[in-house]
Amino acid sequence: MKAVMYLRKSRMEELSNEEETLERHKKSLTEFAKTNKISIIKIYEEVVSGDTLYSRPQMLQLLADVEANKYDAVLCMDIDRLGRSSMSDQGVILETLKQNDTKIITPRKFYDLNNDIDETYSEFESFMARQELKIIKRRLHTGIKRTIKDGGYIANAPYGYDKIYKDKIPTLAINEDEAVFVRMIFDMYVNQGIGSLTIAETLNSLGARPRRSDKFGRTSIVAILKNQVYIGKIVWDKKKHIKKGTKNNTKHITIYNKPEQWTVVDGLHEPIIDKELFESAQEILKNRYHPPYYKGTVENPLAGLVKCGNCGRTMQRQYMHRGERGEWETILCMNKGCIPSAKLAYVEESILHFLYDEMNNIAVELKTEQRPKKDITLLEAALDATEKEISTAKQQRSRLHDLLEQGVYDIPTFTERSKALEEKLATLQEQATAQHDAIKKAQGTNKLKMYKKIKSVLQAYETADAQKRNMMLKSIIREIVYKKEQKSKPHDFALSISFKDL
């Protein structure tokens, strides 16, 4: 009998090491197969939850192989290891095995799904497994609620804290290496009146790094400013996640709850920020919000700048409303279905990061090129001579056609001399381009002018309104081409930014 082994860690074993669990099961099933003379030709291992069939790649591959009639049986620790999710998911698994006459073997029982008694028994066990899963979920949910009400923190530790346990309850301990930057963020924002983008760039220049990205940005700074964990609070039930499985993929839908539905309790952890400073930050954040209606002035800082990478149309600002999730600004191509949209704040932040990087690169180039300015008289004379040669060559090219028409040149002679002349012209034009570049490099004025212009824009940007921001960006940027793939993540877009010739 050709059989495969399917291993999956159950929810009851989530606190144990999955490798140890699967290895223990593998050893038990291997011994069982040896004793019963069952030939194991492949092993499928899975450590994901059994909630949704279509989020389990190994099971999907197993079912595909079963449909190809590769195996006679599936060996597993218990029938609920195959899955105990919805009735429809379990029906797919059992029906696939039945139609292809593939047996289920466990150390406790042999199942032939084409036998009425075995099929009924397997369906009954699957039903009991689903009921057990519901009970486990309720217990887990109750345990989480209890931990939250006791002041425990069960999510990933936020920036400025480390995860610890106190009397077996998960909580947080201050990470002083990061907490110093958290205090700096609130002090700069509230007491010094510095904007979130400038704060982000300051932290990046000081070597601070967030937990899940390469550098701080405006959105990560604002998220820290809004997080009540820094005043010793635990906030839960802000949102809930729903998984919807299809045959092709599993969609994760997030629903944002209203503030009155949140659970807010005092945490066991020590605060990093005092309450008065935190509330001052919230007031500033609230007052900097721009309401979604036209005021007679430009409200989009990127107006007229961003072009769709697919159709070339100018992209527009639009407010999105998703029920209880509230509103936010997006940058959108008005050609319906042309390209996925992105949050305007993400695109704006990416542009500003690009400008900061470009300014710093120019500063490095200027520093390495600091030397007495060259006399460009000879360079200009050489360029003038080259341009005269180009003009003469073009006149010669024109006379070639006259000589051909007059019969002075035959066609082979005309072709030969025309080719030589075109090659000479191409060489001269390349030479002129190189001479132009040499003059610009010797002058060094363009880079310095660009550096000063970008720096002035970035210094004034944070405190400017949308209309002034738009004017400042247009003073240095000619065009921004936006590209984004379908079904990509919110931050996964590409910008191609071209500067004006200053």
Side-chain angles (χ1 to χ4, degrees):
M1 177 180 288
K2 296 183 299 181
V4 291
M5 187 187 299
Y6 180 76
L7 303 170
R8 181 180 65 81
K9 181 183 167 189
S10 75
R11 190 175 297 268
M12 290 294 289
E13 296 155 345
E14 282 184 351
L15 296 178
S16 63
N17 184 293
E18 62 261 16
E19 292 183 359
E20 292 180 359
T21 300
L22 295 182
E23 194 60 38
R24 188 170 63 251
H25 290 176
K26 185 189 297 184
K27 183 178 179 180
S28 297
L29 291 176
T30 301
E31 291 175 354
F32 176 83
K34 182 179 180 181
T35 302
N36 292 274
K37 295 182 173 54
I38 299 172
S39 177
I40 304 297
I41 60 176
K42 190 171 182 178
I43 298 176
Y44 298 85
E45 295 186 32
E46 206 133 47
V47 294
V48 298
S49 168
D51 286 2
T52 308
L53 170 61
Y54 299 108
S55 63
R56 296 162 58 198
Q58 290 298 305
M59 174 52 73
L60 293 175
Q61 183 59 54
L62 170 59
L63 294 179
D65 290 343
V66 166
E67 287 181 333
N69 293 314
K70 292 184 178 181
Y71 316 122
D72 300 318
V74 176
L75 179 63
C76 55
M77 284 300 294
D78 210 332
I79 197 167
D80 66 350
R81 300 287 168 163
L82 299 177
R84 51 181 179 181
S85 52
S86 66
M87 292 180 64
S88 59
D89 284 355
Q90 286 185 314
V92 169
I93 296 171
L94 296 178
E95 191 62 27
T96 301
L97 295 173
K98 178 181 178 180
Q99 288 181 357
N100 293 276
D101 197 24
T102 304
K103 311 299 188 290
I104 301 173
I105 302 174
T106 72
R108 188 169 56 86
K109 183 172 172 54
F110 179 96
Y111 300 85
D112 180 356
L113 298 178
N114 286 300
N115 178 289
D116 290 344
I117 296 176
D118 282 356
E119 183 181 21
T120 301
Y121 192 81
S122 66
E123 290 174 352
F124 175 75
E125 287 199 332
S126 297
F127 169 77
M128 294 303 296
R130 286 198 303 274
Q131 300 309 305
E132 183 185 12
L133 179 61
K134 290 179 181 179
I135 294 171
I136 292 171
K137 283 184 174 181
R138 282 198 296 269
R139 287 174 180 168
L140 287 173
H141 185 71
T142 301
I144 290 172
K145 283 286 188 182
R146 184 69 266 164
T147 301
I148 297 298
K149 288 182 179 180
D150 289 341
Y153 191 92
I154 65 172
N156 292 326
Y159 187 81
Y161 285 103
D162 293 322
K163 195 78 168 285
I164 64 168
Y165 285 83
K166 286 184 180 179
D167 299 325
K168 298 184 179 181
I169 298 178
T171 185
L172 301 170
I174 296 176
N175 180 326
E176 283 298 337
D177 291 338
E178 296 178 347
V180 64
F181 293 112
V182 175
R183 297 186 187 102
M184 185 184 296
I185 289 169
F186 280 89
D187 178 64
M188 293 174 72
Y189 192 76
V190 177
N191 299 326
Q192 302 179 44
I194 299 174
S196 56
L197 181 64
T198 304
I199 294 173
E201 294 299 332
T202 302
L203 263 62
N204 292 333
S205 67
L206 292 172
R209 293 291 178 267
R211 295 281 177 83
R212 298 174 184 85
S213 61
D214 295 333
K215 55 186 177 181
F216 282 100
R218 174 186 294 174
T219 51
S220 55
I221 296 298
V222 171
I224 288 174
L225 290 168
K226 291 182 176 180
N227 196 341
Q228 295 186 54
V229 73
Y230 296 113
I231 56 172
K233 297 290 185 181
I234 302 293
V235 182
W236 201 252
D237 292 330
K238 291 181 70 174
K239 56 188 177 182
K240 59 183 177 181
H241 303 280
I242 299 174
K243 286 195 293 186
K244 287 190 174 182
T246 66
K247 191 168 184 178
N248 296 322
N249 62 356
T250 300
K251 293 183 178 180
H252 295 261
I253 300 172
T254 302
I255 298 175
Y256 291 83
N257 296 322
K258 296 178 181 178
E260 54 266 27
Q261 295 176 303
W262 298 353
T263 300
V264 182
V265 298
D266 292 327
L268 296 175
H269 63 281
E270 294 292 327
I272 294 176
I273 303 299
D274 64 71
K275 187 176 180 181
E276 183 180 353
L277 182 62
F278 183 84
E279 289 178 348
S280 297
Q282 306 317 299
E283 190 65 26
I284 295 172
L285 285 166
K286 181 180 178 182
N287 291 334
R288 286 188 180 178
Y289 171 73
H290 296 287
Y293 55 84
Y294 183 66
K295 297 180 177 180
T297 58
V298 174
E299 292 291 322
N300 177 12
L302 308 182
L305 279 171
V306 184
K307 308 293 183 182
C308 173
N310 283 346
C311 68
R313 293 180 64 176
T314 301
M315 300 184 72
Q316 306 292 325
R317 180 190 70 150
Q318 183 168 328
Y319 274 89
M320 301 294 290
H321 183 78
R322 297 277 181 89
E324 295 179 349
R325 294 178 64 178
E327 292 179 321
W328 62 88
E329 294 171 295
T330 63
I331 190 111
L332 180 70
C333 178
M334 303 313 291
N335 187 4
K336 188 176 181 181
C338 179
I339 197 168
S341 62
K343 286 188 177 182
L344 188 143
Y346 293 163
V347 178
E348 186 182 13
E349 181 176 332
S350 182
I351 294 168
L352 294 176
H353 277 308
F354 174 85
L355 293 179
Y356 268 101
D357 292 340
E358 191 68 16
M359 182 184 71
N360 292 332
N361 291 337
I362 294 173
V364 172
E365 291 176 9
L366 289 172
K367 192 172 183 179
T368 57
E369 293 175 3
Q370 279 183 356
R371 58 177 68 93
K373 290 189 176 179
K374 295 180 180 179
D375 183 357
I376 62 172
T377 305
L378 293 176
L379 291 171
E380 289 178 333
L383 176 62
D384 185 56
T386 302
E387 288 178 341
K388 286 180 179 178
E389 285 190 66
I390 291 173
S391 178
T392 300
K394 288 181 178 178
Q395 291 174 5
Q396 290 174 345
R397 184 173 60 184
S398 177
R399 285 200 299 270
L400 276 177
H401 292 274
D402 294 337
L403 293 172
L404 177 64
E405 291 177 1
Q406 294 170 12
V408 176
Y409 288 154
D410 56 15
I411 292 178
T413 303
F414 169 81
T415 303
E416 181 182 350
R417 297 202 174 189
S418 178
K419 180 182 177 182
L421 198 54
E422 291 298 333
E423 289 175 352
K424 181 181 179 180
L425 262 174
T427 301
L428 287 170
Q429 287 168 344
E430 287 179 3
Q431 184 176 318
T433 300
Q435 289 167 339
H436 272 294
D437 292 341
I439 291 172
K440 288 181 180 180
K441 185 175 181 180
Q443 290 173 328
T445 54
N446 282 352
K447 287 182 182 178
L448 182 59
K449 189 174 182 180
M450 176 62 82
Y451 173 83
K452 290 181 177 179
K453 191 68 175 177
I454 295 175
K455 185 177 181 180
S456 65
V457 168
L458 292 173
Q459 285 178 336
Y461 196 89
E462 188 67 38
T463 56
D465 59 23
Q467 185 164 352
K468 289 180 180 178
R469 289 180 177 185
N470 185 247
M471 292 172 64
M472 288 190 292
L473 290 177
K474 285 182 175 178
S475 70
I476 57 175
I477 295 175
R478 178 186 293 112
E479 185 181 74
I480 301 167
V481 178
Y482 168 94
K483 291 184 178 180
K484 194 175 196 298
E485 298 294 332
Q486 296 289 343
K487 298 182 180 179
S488 57
K489 295 180 179 179
H491 284 87
D492 288 347
F493 54 81
L495 300 179
S496 178
I497 301 174
S498 57
F499 287 109
K500 287 185 173 179
D501 187 1
L502 301 181

